[in-house]
Amino acid sequence: MCGIVGYIGSRDASEFLVEGLRRLEYRGYDSAGVAVIDRGAIRVCKTTGRVDALHGRLLSEPLPGHAGIGHTRWATHGPANDANAHPHVGGLGEVAVVHNGVIENYAGLRQQLEGAGFVFRSETDSEVIAHLIASCLDTQAATDAARANGAGLRRDVHASLVTAVRMALAQLRGTYGLAILFRDHPDVMIAARLGSPLVVGVGPQEHFVASDALPLAGYTDKIVYLADHQLAIVTATSLRITHRELGAVKPSVEVLQVDAGDRTLNGFDHFMLKEIHEQPESIRNAMRGRLDVENATATFGGLNLTPQQLSSVRRIILTGCGTSWHAGLLGEYLIEEWARIPVEVEYASELRYRNPPVDANTLVFAISQSGETADTLGAIREMKRTGHRTLAICNVVASSIAQEADGGIFLHAGPEIGVASTKAYTAQCMTLAMLALYFARMRHLGFEAGRRIIDDFQQLPDKLGQALQTSDQVRYVAEKYQHARNFLYLGRQYNFPTALEGALKLKEISYVHAEGYPAAEMKHGPIALVDQQTPSVFIVPRGFVYDKVMANLEEVKARGGPVIAVVQEGDRRAAQVADDVIEVPSISESLQPLINVVPLQLLAYHAALLRDCDVDKPRNLAKSVTVE
Ligand code: G6P
């Protein structure tokens, strides 16, 4: 799971490759590398660590050249070290390959290739592709030579390369996005896709290859999205695409809709902190143009469904991974409560291989910040395959999920760089809340009730802004419990997803174990963990289940467990029992989770700082998981 880039044209290739890789680091940052063709040789520079480290190396040992490929890695096969970093060189240096995906049958292929004398330098599954292509190039060269002798003809060299690459690809089982350089053919690069997204950027006298559109912003606004089984034969001045079964395909050039976005820290120490603080604005942006006050409802431009189709919806499936799945859980509460439509929230990784009975009146929403998560993409493809309408709730506009869904809603949260999702989560929750209102008003919810919900929506940004002011108090709490090795996060009803999300944030960036649980379920197991060293974070706003959650809080106190309570302002009762209290502004019960999550995001942030962790790029994680 990784990011790949390629360039062929008249620029210095490394310059684009490094900038492109920086923009793809959200896909992984275990190692980075580039390969460039220079004076008849493929020269490689690669290193463990970030693109910055690669850039440093390239500054001291530049790789000049006008054709090159690059890679930023999230390790799957073999640890993060220099040898396992891509690009991988095949044969005796004839080809270099960068790969995103997983080759499932790599072990057998490796054995076969080693038997044939190929020398492996890494533990990766990807290196087999490089040697396999080198081996197929040899076979093809022999066939070409025999044909040439027989017929006195010289074969089209690019056609021979394509045949060799196709021969190699036919032996692979798994997924790949590939960019391939050929030492003896510096004028051409081949890109291939099966299961892992790949795009080609078209410029005057130059072409770019990348895992997604982001690296192209600012370089070209013309983009071609490759489909599975397609292979692009790219030179500086030409682009040909062939499909495994369909043969030549006319490239469909689209206008690129993304810009690289604001990727500066704007005075903040970390992107995560900046993004936490951007939430009042990102919530406003998610709502902009979508609140129809006159009709007390929400409106969405891109659902691509007729009013008849929408009013016949009888069931909704929300699917996603990680934080997006948590947003789905809150969506379930809101849609069921307001619109009375049954909702199921499915882990995309489970949904894609389950075979649930789904009838014609079921709508499937894929929730994904990046729009590139492999399992979420796999789940909507499976749903589409069985004839169901799929809609996307995505942040990244030109992403694969946004492209493949039948319609959807963009979050408009702006680029989220910190690996731990914050502003995208609240924007997803906001979007699902608007969706709940929309479906509710199509059914039974009256005008007045709809208006009250809109009033609450409009108060959210300011109240979120006030919740940010808890930061100093949260830092104090983080310091107090900085040596704790385990945390419990407990909440109920609308705040059960908040508990899960708070625990996930802490785990992700501070590497402290945390478990999120429904507060009442705690007594069926997790309560055994309670001791003086295990703080419990209770999310306990006033409302229907307040007394019940307070009872759970007392149960933890009775067993000597320290309690941190996130409460609404002015809650004296909780303050008397809890060891530490964080007060947040009040809003309606169903929207309170959007406010409550803010101090939990800040708690994770401060805990990570105190433990000296890399807040924006935590170990072992990636912003977008593009393998299953
Ligand atoms: C990764 C990220 C999480 C994110 C999840 C789903 O695990 O580290 O922060 O929630 O993927 O990503 P998506 O882009 O589909 O929302």
Side-chain angles (χ1 to χ4, degrees):
M1 184 188 82
C2 311
I4 67 176
V5 282
Y7 177 79
I8 190 157
S10 54
R11 292 173 202 257
D12 176 49
S14 301
E15 196 191 301
F16 164 74
L17 298 177
V18 168
E19 177 55 25
L21 291 179
R22 272 193 219 290
R23 298 186 198 174
L24 290 178
E25 262 191 322
Y26 76 92
R27 289 167 170 265
Y29 38 78
D30 287 335
S31 62
V34 294
V36 173
I37 301 194
D38 179 26
R39 286 162 291 163
I42 292 177
R43 294 178 58 205
V44 176
C45 176
K46 55 188 190 175
T47 178
T48 315
R50 311 279 158 84
V51 175
D52 271 347
L54 173 71
H55 188 212
R57 283 210 180 175
L58 285 168
L59 286 178
S60 50
E61 297 161 37
L63 283 191
H66 302 291
I69 54 178
H71 188 271
T72 178
R73 178 170 188 246
W74 186 81
T76 57
H77 298 64
N81 59 29
D82 288 5
N84 290 333
H86 298 217
H88 292 291
V89 173
L92 297 172
E94 306 83 302
V95 290
V97 165
V98 286
H99 169 224
N100 171 31
V102 169
I103 303 305
E104 290 162 8
N105 59 335
Y106 85 101
L109 289 171
R110 181 174 177 141
Q111 217 175 16
Q112 205 177 297
L113 287 158
E114 280 176 333
F118 287 90
V119 179
F120 280 73
R121 293 170 192 87
S122 80
E123 296 157 78
T124 63
D125 55 335
S126 310
E127 193 181 353
V128 297
I129 307 173
H131 291 304
L132 200 54
I133 294 173
S135 146
C136 293
L137 282 172
D138 287 348
T139 312
Q140 186 58 29
T143 313
D144 286 350
R147 279 208 193 123
N149 281 342
L153 292 171
R154 203 173 167 276
R155 236 195 137 205
D156 169 4
V157 272
H158 290 181
S160 293
L161 296 180
V162 170
T163 310
V165 170
R166 282 253 181 251
M167 230 191 281
L169 297 185
Q171 297 176 58
L172 302 178
R173 213 173 55 230
T175 53
Y176 52 77
L178 288 171
I180 310 157
L181 279 184
F182 305 89
R183 182 192 59 200
D184 303 331
H185 306 281
D187 61 323
V188 66
M189 179 167 51
I190 289 184
R193 167 186 166 152
L194 178 62
S196 302
L198 208 54
V199 303
V200 179
V202 181
Q205 314 288 315
E206 62 184 347
H207 282 100
F208 309 83
V209 170
S211 292
D212 66 34
L214 261 183
L216 308 187
Y219 288 93
T220 176
D221 63 355
K222 295 190 185 66
I223 185 167
V224 176
Y225 292 89
L226 293 188
D228 280 351
H229 299 298
Q230 284 187 349
L231 197 141
I233 304 106
V234 187
T235 71
T237 52
S238 69
L239 167 64
R240 282 189 299 132
I241 296 179
T242 68
H243 183 278
R244 192 180 62 182
E245 276 107 35
L246 309 173
V249 174
K250 190 167 180 289
S252 153
V253 183
E254 297 180 30
V255 177
L256 181 61
Q257 287 178 357
V258 290
D259 58 36
D262 179 7
R263 286 164 180 273
T264 52
L265 281 164
N266 277 351
F268 287 93
D269 289 340
H270 298 94
F271 282 107
M272 182 184 181
L273 189 63
K274 176 184 174 224
E275 287 153 10
I276 290 173
H277 279 82
E278 281 171 349
Q279 291 180 106
E281 199 47 37
S282 51
I283 287 287
R284 269 191 205 101
N285 290 340
M287 281 192 275
R288 186 157 294 132
R290 289 176 172 155
L291 297 186
D292 176 357
V293 181
E294 214 168 290
N295 293 302
T297 187
T299 76
F300 300 102
L303 293 181
N304 300 338
L305 293 173
T306 63
Q308 286 77 7
Q309 284 171 317
L310 285 164
S311 59
S312 63
V313 171
R314 295 281 169 270
R315 180 181 171 217
I316 289 176
I317 294 179
L318 303 174
T319 190
C321 303
T323 289
S324 296
W325 184 80
H326 293 162
L329 286 182
L330 180 64
E332 176 181 23
Y333 281 94
L334 297 173
I335 296 170
E336 290 195 341
E337 181 73 28
W338 295 348
R340 313 298 302 153
I341 302 174
V343 177
E344 277 152 69
V345 187
E346 298 266 3
Y347 283 116
S349 53
E350 291 297 311
L351 181 63
R352 64 183 299 188
Y353 294 122
R354 274 183 57 207
N355 186 17
V358 181
D359 67 22
N361 295 328
T362 300
L363 254 191
V364 182
F365 281 90
I367 309 171
S368 174
Q369 187 286 127
S370 62
E372 299 294 346
T373 303
D375 283 321
T376 313
L377 190 56
I380 62 162
R381 282 186 182 154
E382 176 62 12
M383 287 290 127
K384 278 181 77 156
R385 193 191 58 76
T386 49
H388 294 96
R389 286 199 77 84
T390 58
L391 300 175
I393 297 178
C394 282
N395 196 30
V396 179
V397 173
S399 59
S400 304
I401 292 172
Q403 301 264 329
E404 294 203 18
D406 299 311
I409 308 169
F410 288 117
L411 300 177
H412 299 310
E416 190 180 66
I417 314 289
V419 163
S421 183
T422 52
K423 66 174 179 174
Y425 174 70
T426 42
Q428 288 166 338
C429 294
M430 186 67 236
T431 303
L432 287 159
M434 290 188 291
L435 203 59
L437 171 64
Y438 177 71
F439 279 118
R441 288 285 292 134
M442 288 193 91
R443 288 167 166 73
H444 58 272
L445 194 81
F447 182 87
E448 272 310 311
R451 264 311 241 292
R452 274 197 300 277
I453 290 175
I454 289 188
D455 283 350
D456 287 337
F457 283 174
Q458 288 170 329
Q459 290 178 35
L460 260 172
D462 287 347
K463 296 208 168 174
L464 254 154
Q466 290 161 28
L468 291 169
Q469 290 161 18
T470 57
S471 189
D472 288 344
Q473 200 188 345
V474 172
R475 189 187 313 122
Y476 164 80
V477 172
E479 279 167 7
K480 183 170 169 185
Y481 297 105
Q482 65 175 301
H483 300 298
R485 297 298 306 130
N486 295 291
F487 276 71
L488 290 174
Y489 281 71
L490 302 159
R492 210 165 163 186
Q493 300 280 298
Y494 298 113
N495 284 291
F496 161 49
T498 318
L500 294 181
E501 179 59 9
L504 179 64
K505 289 294 85 108
L506 190 72
K507 271 186 281 213
E508 281 180 312
I509 61 166
S510 73
Y511 320 142
V512 170
H513 173 252
E515 197 163 344
Y517 236 75
E521 269 294 303
M522 175 249 339
K523 55 189 173 293
H524 299 293
I527 199 164
L529 300 173
V530 169
D531 63 16
Q532 287 171 358
Q533 278 72 51
T534 305
S536 293
V537 179
F538 271 89
I539 303 127
V540 55
R542 291 192 201 92
F544 182 56
V545 288
Y546 176 81
D547 288 332
K548 295 174 193 303
V549 181
M550 280 304 293
N552 300 139
L553 191 157
E554 300 268 11
E555 287 155 15
V556 168
K557 279 302 300 173
R559 285 157 182 82
V563 166
I564 303 153
V566 176
V567 302
Q568 287 170 327
E569 53 208 348
D571 183 342
R572 301 279 158 262
R573 183 173 157 201
Q576 276 166 12
V577 194
D579 297 86
D580 295 280
V581 166
I582 299 162
E583 289 195 8
V584 293
S586 304
I587 199 155
S588 64
E589 200 179 345
S590 41
L591 297 179
Q592 191 67 45
L594 279 88
I595 308 282
N596 292 345
V597 77
V598 172
L600 304 187
Q601 296 168 339
L602 289 166
L603 182 60
Y605 174 76
H606 290 302
L609 281 191
L610 288 162
R611 298 171 64 81
D612 221 8
C613 298
D614 187 340
V615 171
D616 286 333
K617 291 200 173 91
R619 74 179 179 206
N620 302 342
L621 298 181
K623 182 79 187 140
S624 159
V625 179
T626 58
V627 288
E628 31 176 318

